[in-house]
Structure formats: structure tokens, C-alpha cells
Amino acid sequence: MISTQLGDQLSHMSLRSRRSHPRPPALVLVAHGSRNPLALATVTALIERIREQRPGLTVRLGHIELNEPLLSDTLADLPAGRAVLVPLLLSRGHHVKQDIPRAAAAAGHLLTRVAGPLGPHPLLVDALHDRLTEAGWPAHLSERARRRSGVVLAAAGSRDPEAAVDTHRTAALLARRLGVPVVPAYASAASPDVATAVRALAARGRHRTALASYFTAPGRFATESAEAAPGIVAAPLGTHPALARLVLHRYDTATAAAPESAPRHLASA
């Protein structure tokens, strides 16, 4: 009898514990997709970094286009419950405002929330600085070298003006970190392009230029931007530890902002 009563008590305690500590929502990392095979390999490795930093959290990958799994398939494969979609995108734009929320709303079996894009954020500046240093940017610049140096922040580009605002904010943060001018440039849909930005810096006496690759993974835009740069070229952000921390920060922010009684799809965090 005592064993039965003890078993019943433990069963009730376990049930109360599950009710008071519900399983956290799944994290769905939403990548753009690329025909470059290195992009998928990079994003897959980033997923593993995220899992290492948050053991026990369900982490899935979905692509907007070009790669499998597509976001719609990833969401369809999740069991009924909650999910937070974190865009692996660096600024606001059509994908963040339209495509990802539309896919989330179509997943009727899930209570979803779409987190904000990764940028701008100081953690991205940490990663950009490290990638520049790895590519040969000096740890310390003399005053003379500082007056002659500048950086082009190469980004994908978007027709959405808010995307440019976000990229300019990141450029300002990076300029503050480096102590030299940082000029945004775009691979598509916006101006200036990299070559034009390099010439603009040269016109200001900044003939020692470096390219900061404001891309999450290798791809066509990153390659074209690198080919247009005459000096130091940094690698894309890739699997930098700061990127995994930032993904989890966006996830946590969106999770904390989502009330339990919310409708199936919620506004972006």
C-alpha cells in the first residue's frame, strides 16, 4: 500500500512538473539557400554549434529556396506544439516580413513565432572583426595607416529600405570598433556595389581597403563581392561562435515575448 501511494505521489509530482515546465518550443533556423554546396555544409555545421550550446533543445533547419529541406517541409515534419522561427538573415526585408511569416501561418498544427533577423547586433560586429583579423587586418594600426585605411561591408542587398538601414547600423558599429570608415556595399538590388564603394574610399584618401563579408555562408553574392575587392577579403560569418550565440539570443527573446494564450502565428519579435 505504501509503495502504491508513493508511486501515485511521484506520478502526480511528475505530471505537475511537466505542466509547470513545458517543453521549450522548437528552434527552426531559416536559411535562404544557395546553389553553392559550401553554404549547406556551413549552415549544417552552425546547427551543430547551436545544439552544443543548448543541449536538449529541438533544432531544425529549413530553407526559403534552392536547398532541402524547404521551410514548409521542416514545419510539416514537426509534431504539434510550439516553434520559433529564427531567420539566418542579417537585415529586414521581404523574406523576413513576408515569406517566413507566411510559411509559419500555413503550419496549422504549430503555435509559431518569427524572431527578428540577426542584424544589427554587437555579436555580429565581433564576428566581422574576427574574420577581418583572420584575413590579415592588423590588430593595431598606426595613426598613419589608420588615416589611409577603410573597410567595405559587403551585403546581399534588398529593395526594402529598412534592410539598408540595418546594414548601415552594422557598418557604424564596425567603424566604431575598427576606428576607420566602413562603407556598406551590395551585391544586388541596392547601391553602391563593392567596386563603387572602394572608389569612394579611395577618393577620400583611403587606399588601403579591406572587405568585410556580411554573409552568413559562402555563395554567389559572397564570391562576386570578394572578386571585386582589391585588398584584404574576409570570409563570411559562417560558423563563428558569436553567430550561434546570436541565434539563441533571438530565439530566447522571441520565446519570452510569446504569451501562452497567443494565436497560432504571432508578429515578428
Side-chain angles (χ1 to χ4, degrees):
M1 182 179 300
I2 293 174
S3 297
T4 301
Q5 291 174 343
L6 182 58
D8 289 343
Q9 290 173 356
L10 290 174
S11 178
H12 288 309
M13 289 172 61
S14 177
L15 181 60
R16 286 197 301 271
S17 176
R18 288 196 298 271
R19 286 173 177 170
S20 60
H21 300 285
R23 185 176 182 82
L27 189 164
V28 179
L29 187 67
V30 186
H32 182 277
S34 170
R35 292 184 177 88
N36 187 325
L38 291 176
L40 179 57
T42 299
V43 176
T44 301
L46 178 62
I47 286 274
E48 292 307 312
R49 276 194 177 273
I50 295 167
R51 288 173 176 151
E52 290 171 2
Q53 292 190 23
R54 192 68 60 89
L57 177 64
T58 298
V59 184
R60 297 289 183 268
L61 172 64
H63 293 91
I64 296 169
E65 59 182 358
L66 300 177
N67 288 117
E68 294 182 347
L70 291 173
L71 176 58
S72 56
D73 295 332
T74 296
L75 295 176
D77 288 344
L78 284 172
R82 300 182 298 156
V84 173
L85 284 63
V86 181
L88 190 61
L89 301 169
L90 299 170
S91 63
R92 291 168 290 179
H94 184 80
H95 293 317
V96 171
K97 295 179 179 180
Q98 301 294 330
D99 294 337
I100 298 175
R102 190 179 299 121
H109 63 300
L110 294 172
L111 182 71
T112 59
R113 188 168 185 87
V114 179
L118 299 186
H121 194 278
L123 282 171
L124 291 174
V125 177
D126 291 344
L128 288 165
H129 181 266
D130 285 350
R131 291 292 186 242
L132 282 167
T133 301
E134 292 165 2
W137 181 266
H140 302 285
L141 285 172
S142 67
E143 188 57 36
R144 182 171 181 271
R146 191 179 303 281
R147 290 195 300 268
R148 298 176 57 206
S149 300
V151 170
V152 174
L153 181 67
S158 170
R159 292 182 178 87
D160 189 321
E162 289 189 320
V165 171
D166 292 342
T167 305
H168 274 269
R169 288 179 61 191
T170 298
L173 291 171
L174 184 59
R176 194 176 308 152
R177 173 72 65 86
L178 298 174
V180 301
V182 177
V183 177
Y186 304 98
S188 70
S191 59
D193 60 16
V194 171
T196 302
V198 170
R199 288 194 296 270
L201 283 168
R204 297 162 59 183
R206 307 279 177 168
H207 297 283
R208 294 182 55 182
T209 58
L211 184 97
S213 296
Y214 200 37
F215 303 100
T216 56
R220 179 168 65 91
F221 288 161
T223 299
E224 291 175 354
S225 297
E227 290 172 348
I232 292 171
V233 175
L237 301 170
T239 59
H240 192 283
L243 209 60
R245 293 199 299 273
L246 182 53
V247 168
L248 288 169
H249 170 70
R250 294 297 191 217
Y251 167 85
D252 290 337
T253 300
T255 301
E260 292 297 326
S261 58
R264 185 181 73 228
H265 174 63
L266 302 172
S268 298

